[in-house]
Amino acid sequence: MQHKTQLTLSFLLSQVLLLACAEDLECTPGFQQKVFYIEQPFEFTEDQPILNLVFDDCKGNNKLNFEVSNPDFKVEHDGSLVALKNVSEAGRALFVHARSEHAEDMAEILIVGANEKHGALKEIFKIEGNLGIPRQKRAILATPILIPENQRPPFPRLVGKVISSEGTEGAKFRLSGKGVDQDPKGIFRINEISGDVSVTRPLDRETIANYELEVEVTDLSGKIIDGPVRLDISVIDQNDNRPIFKEGPYIGHVMEGSPTGTTVMRMTALDADDPSTDNAVLRYNILKQTPTKPSPNMFYIDPEKGDIVTVVSPVLLDRETMETPKYELVIEAKDMGGHDVGLTGTATATILIDDKNDHPPEFTKKEFQATVKEGVTGVIVNLTVGDRDDPATGAWRAVYTIINGNPGQSFEIHTNPQTNEGMLSVVKPLDYEISAFHTLLIKVENEDPLIPDIAYGPSSTATVQITVEDVNEGPVFHPNPMTVTKQENIPIGSIVLTVNATDPDTLQHQTIRYSVYKDPASWLEINPTNGTVATTAILDRESPHVQNNIYTALFLAIDSGNPPATGTGTLHITLEDVNDNVPSLYPTLAKVCDDAKDLRVVVLGASDKDLHPNTDPFKFELSKQSGPEKLWRITKLNNTHAQVVLLQNLKKANYNIPISVTDSGKPPLTNNTELKLQVCSCKKSRMDCSASDALHISMTLILLSLFSLFSVQLN
């Protein structure tokens, strides 16, 4: 009863408003009231009148037809709005489109709650209400205009009328705003005399949904008489946009064996139409599934949310039994709430069935055989396994472990990343004489752990039997390298040492012969039978073949195998120093001016190839000087240097100064030598040593040289 009272009140109110307006307004084609408010009932009852709409094209309403935006409602010929069935939810608004031979218009019915209704009725009676058409203070009456988008020609098309109650002679209507004199220009125009508002081309709600224009009344000179008054034009949505899937590609993953109802992914389409209408209400559906096995309906999509879920039992969702772990679903999104008249868009969803580790790796056989020669390293056998899980995952990749038979860590096993085989390698050379056979126990597991109800079985372990082949190995020197210390200059034929080499092939009872391999200075020989090394020349520590007092030679030990095998031994001889090198003096030439004031001629240095203590400190001496006067002297500066000083200026000539230098060895060695001294004339900082006087030779130096030669012959 309350619902009927409210509907009756709304109806009466609309009639009162129309009568009030009709008192001083001429006939305006279209709905006499364009906006209605009705309260949301518990349910719209089938065939029960809701309100009455009055449409007048001012020419008899010939061939009048009504269309309602919600297909659950219709408008009778008398203008009564009724429901075609019991409707509990009709949305927030209904739009009624009326068309006759001479006019068409749109009315909006707003469905509000009880609280909203009270406020809405108050708004209707406001003087400046923007949705009603009661009397206003202003003389301009500009009711809102509703225009469907995508209208067909002809254009311009009459869409509404602006009325001025002040019948001022010569008055003109002027329309302005976005869509008139602002971009986009020229969409709307007004007949300056009649106030008819026209649209000049089809509208697109998705581009511009509302236009706010202003209407003014001016006199002939353009002076504003009345206004401006706002004229609202709303573009009514048409279902002209298909749903579009924009976020592709759509790829979802689901683990094999997942429970029924597991969410895989969500599909979302977008519709550019008005979201407050059914034009943008989408419903989702699966059009096609590829492949269709083990069930043609592996998945279900929530029609409203777009969530794709599994609908088969976990047993059927078995990756290893499927034709392929990839499914493709053609998903359709349809607007108009999924009704047949809705527009559709499609996309492909790819669903991948992910593998879980429900199959342990198993060796292809229980025992593998391998043969390897002793002394050889590298891969000796590849162990093959089978695994039904996904090769691209850790559920397939194998990890091998040697669990028995490898105490010396002579073997290692690694996974071939391409084939998943176990590559068993020898990393420490095997010795046939120690063990000719090896038995390894190897297990295989996956990188990823098995699922809880699966365990590794006997097939995940295997035995590898390895046979070691005997090889004729070369003799081995003990020790190697060999070291010995000897004095240099020992007599030729001296025994250095006896080398020792043994044959690892103890079961073959072979003989060994020795030979010299490398002897850089040709100082050594070796007995081929017993390995005794003796000198064939003087060992010289100062030889360029000796590095850091060590002489190095290489020897070979050759067995009697067929073919023979060879071993190499290294000998390091550390040579002890003997005082067998006299010191040398430097420099051997000095120059001085005949009028020099500084008579310090030169600083002499001494060096010795031997080692300490057979070197410095050195002793410097002058041989006896001939003549009545001494001409020079020598003074020691330190252990290795001395200074020669003239006792007086000498004439221009070349002089030989006899000098002896003695090292500190036991016994010491002396070197008698001469320092050549050139006395030159020096003028204007120029030294002239040419054309010197006759050479002055010390007789003492001659006598000393003869004495040294006689002493060497006696020794």
Side-chain angles (χ1 to χ4, degrees):
M1 178 63 72
Q2 182 180 2
H3 173 53
K4 292 182 178 180
T5 302
Q6 291 170 340
L7 295 178
T8 303
L9 176 61
S10 179
F11 175 75
L12 292 175
L13 179 60
S14 66
Q15 299 303 312
V16 170
L17 292 173
L18 290 173
L19 290 173
C21 294
E23 290 179 0
D24 35 76
L25 297 179
E26 63 183 17
C27 178
T28 301
F31 283 106
Q32 302 306 299
Q33 180 179 343
K34 298 182 183 296
V35 180
F36 297 85
Y37 286 88
I38 62 175
E39 184 176 348
Q40 172 69 52
F42 174 75
E43 185 178 71
F44 291 102
T45 306
E46 183 179 357
D47 293 332
Q48 175 66 44
I50 300 171
L51 57 81
N52 192 56
L53 299 112
V54 178
F55 178 88
D56 189 356
D57 66 358
C58 302
K59 292 187 179 181
N61 287 349
N62 189 29
K63 295 184 180 180
L64 177 62
N65 181 47
F66 295 97
E67 295 179 354
V68 184
S69 61
N70 191 321
D72 294 334
F73 297 86
K74 73 173 183 177
V75 177
E76 303 286 3
H77 292 295
D78 61 358
S80 299
L81 176 67
V82 298
L84 297 177
K85 62 180 181 179
N86 294 336
V87 180
S88 58
E89 177 56 52
R92 298 286 293 172
L94 299 174
F95 297 96
V96 178
H97 183 214
R99 178 183 294 180
S100 69
E101 283 186 337
H102 302 288
E104 65 175 312
D105 200 2
M106 185 79 72
E108 182 179 10
I109 303 167
L110 301 175
I111 305 172
V112 299
N115 295 334
E116 297 173 296
K117 182 62 182 291
H118 178 70
L121 290 175
K122 290 174 65 178
E123 289 294 322
I124 292 176
F125 288 102
K126 282 186 177 180
I127 298 296
E128 293 188 15
N130 61 355
L131 293 177
I133 354 172
R135 296 179 187 274
Q136 304 179 15
K137 288 184 179 181
R138 295 188 183 275
I140 300 176
L141 181 62
T143 60
I145 299 174
L146 304 178
I147 306 175
E149 65 173 334
N150 304 324
Q151 289 183 313
R152 296 179 180 178
F155 290 100
R157 179 188 291 268
L158 182 66
V159 293
K161 188 177 182 68
V162 177
I163 299 172
S164 176
S165 58
E166 300 291 340
T168 304
E169 185 175 355
K172 295 182 180 181
F173 291 101
R174 185 166 64 191
L175 190 62
S176 63
K178 182 179 179 179
V180 181
D181 55 355
Q182 300 176 22
D183 290 331
K185 297 179 180 179
I187 296 178
F188 303 102
R189 65 189 183 190
I190 190 169
N191 187 303
E192 61 181 15
I193 304 301
S194 66
D196 290 339
V197 179
S198 303
V199 64
T200 62
R201 56 180 180 262
L203 302 180
D204 183 2
R205 189 202 69 83
E206 287 71 42
T207 303
I208 301 177
N210 296 284
Y211 297 86
E212 294 182 2
L213 309 180
E214 289 186 345
V215 182
E216 301 170 334
V217 176
T218 66
D219 59 16
L220 292 176
S221 66
K223 181 181 178 180
I224 298 176
I225 300 174
D226 196 4
V229 172
R230 194 173 87 178
L231 172 61
D232 290 327
I233 298 178
S234 298
V235 183
I236 305 303
D237 186 42
Q238 302 291 317
N239 191 20
D240 59 345
N241 288 280
R242 294 181 178 275
I244 298 176
F245 291 91
K246 291 186 175 181
E247 299 176 358
Y250 295 90
I251 300 176
H253 294 261
V254 62
M255 188 69 69
E256 65 171 330
S258 295
T260 303
T262 299
T263 300
V264 180
M265 61 191 298
R266 171 171 288 188
M267 301 290 290
T268 303
L270 300 177
D271 195 310
D273 290 321
D274 188 353
S276 65
T277 68
D278 286 349
N279 296 337
V281 176
L282 304 183
R283 294 294 181 265
Y284 299 94
N285 181 43
I286 298 176
L287 296 181
K288 182 181 180 182
Q289 170 190 302
T290 306
T292 59
K293 293 180 180 181
S295 168
N297 300 303
M298 299 284 289
F299 306 95
Y300 165 80
I301 189 168
D302 186 299
E304 296 185 4
K305 297 179 180 179
D307 289 342
I308 299 176
V309 299
T310 62
V311 293
V312 294
S313 68
V315 176
L316 290 180
L317 206 61
D318 184 0
R319 188 182 182 283
E320 286 74 35
T321 61
M322 293 176 172
E323 290 182 4
T324 172
K326 181 172 75 172
Y327 286 83
E328 291 188 347
L329 307 179
V330 179
I331 306 298
E332 176 191 68
K334 180 182 288 187
D335 60 21
M336 295 301 292
H339 285 88
D340 292 342
V341 295
L343 302 179
T344 62
T346 61
T348 298
T350 301
I351 299 178
L352 302 175
I353 312 301
D354 292 337
D355 187 37
K356 62 182 179 181
N357 198 7
D358 54 351
H359 296 282
E362 296 180 344
F363 284 103
T364 56
K365 52 187 177 180
K366 287 300 295 180
E367 185 173 293
F368 294 85
Q369 303 289 333
T371 300
V372 58
K373 293 181 178 181
E374 65 172 332
V376 175
T377 60
V379 177
I380 59 174
V381 65
N382 291 314
L383 310 183
T384 54
V385 296
D387 195 317
R388 297 171 61 190
D389 291 313
D390 184 1
T393 66
W396 177 80
R397 291 190 289 270
V399 177
Y400 297 87
T401 306
I402 302 173
I403 58 177
N404 195 16
N406 191 28
Q409 305 301 309
S410 299
F411 302 94
E412 287 183 359
I413 187 166
H414 300 281
T415 304
N416 185 317
Q418 280 73 43
T419 64
N420 215 30
E421 295 176 348
M423 301 183 296
L424 182 62
S425 303
V426 175
V427 294
K428 292 182 180 180
L430 304 178
D431 191 337
Y432 172 84
E433 284 70 29
I434 295 177
S435 177
F437 299 96
H438 296 268
T439 301
L440 303 181
L441 185 61
I442 297 176
K443 71 175 181 179
V444 61
E445 297 176 333
N446 288 130
E447 286 185 4
D448 292 346
L450 296 173
I451 60 175
D453 54 342
I454 301 295
Y456 293 104
S459 296
S460 296
T461 59
T463 301
V464 181
Q465 299 290 350
I466 302 168
T467 301
V468 182
E469 294 182 344
D470 189 22
V471 174
N472 186 21
E473 302 170 84
V476 178
F477 284 86
H478 303 282
N480 195 16
M482 301 161 280
T483 60
V484 66
T485 300
K486 295 292 180 180
Q487 274 194 347
E488 64 174 334
N489 300 334
I490 61 175
I492 296 174
S494 299
I495 302 300
V496 178
L497 85 164
T498 299
V499 301
N500 178 34
T502 59
D503 191 344
D505 301 308
T506 56
L507 302 179
Q508 298 184 22
H509 305 292
Q510 298 179 128
T511 60
I512 296 176
R513 293 182 61 82
Y514 300 96
S515 65
V516 177
Y517 180 40
K518 286 185 179 180
D519 180 14
S522 300
W523 289 344
L524 305 172
E525 65 180 1
I526 188 169
N527 186 299
T529 304
N530 61 24
T532 298
V533 178
T535 62
T536 60
I538 297 297
L539 305 182
D540 183 9
R541 191 198 64 81
E542 291 74 33
S543 168
H545 299 292
V546 177
Q547 302 294 326
N548 298 323
N549 306 322
I550 297 176
Y551 180 71
T552 301
L554 302 180
F555 298 92
L556 297 179
I558 307 167
D559 67 19
S560 57
N562 186 19
T566 301
T568 303
T570 301
L571 171 62
H572 295 309
I573 304 175
T574 301
L575 295 175
E576 295 179 340
D577 187 41
V578 173
N579 193 19
D580 57 348
N581 291 280
V582 298
S584 59
L585 196 68
Y586 61 90
T588 59
L589 173 66
K591 295 180 181 181
V592 65
C593 293
D594 55 3
D595 57 353
K597 294 181 181 181
D598 186 359
L599 299 179
R600 291 175 294 184
V601 176
V602 67
V603 173
L604 299 176
S607 62
D608 197 316
K609 294 182 180 180
D610 293 319
L611 298 178
H612 190 78
N614 296 322
T615 56
D616 61 273
F618 297 110
K619 181 180 179 181
F620 298 89
E621 293 179 301
L622 286 173
S623 301
K624 289 183 179 183
Q625 303 180 47
S626 62
E629 298 179 358
K630 293 184 178 181
L631 301 179
W632 41 70
R633 74 169 182 264
I634 188 165
T635 303
K636 183 176 180 181
L637 298 178
N638 53 37
N639 288 344
T640 58
H641 290 80
Q643 188 171 54
V644 176
V645 180
L646 288 180
L647 299 179
Q648 61 186 35
N649 288 102
L650 300 176
K651 294 181 179 181
K652 182 178 180 182
N654 292 333
Y655 300 86
N656 287 333
I657 303 174
I659 298 174
S660 64
V661 57
T662 305
D663 63 24
S664 296
K666 294 183 180 180
L669 295 179
T670 300
N671 181 15
N672 295 307
T673 185
E674 289 182 342
L675 170 66
K676 182 178 181 181
L677 176 64
Q678 289 182 330
V679 179
C680 308
S681 62
C682 299
K683 295 179 181 180
K684 297 182 181 181
S685 301
R686 182 177 179 183
M687 180 177 283
D688 182 10
C689 300
S690 61
S692 299
D693 293 336
L695 180 64
H696 290 258
I697 302 175
S698 173
M699 291 303 295
T700 305
L701 178 59
I702 296 174
L703 293 174
L704 287 173
S705 299
L706 293 173
F707 176 75
S708 298
L709 178 61
F710 179 71
S711 298
V712 171
Q713 289 177 347
L714 290 178
N715 290 335

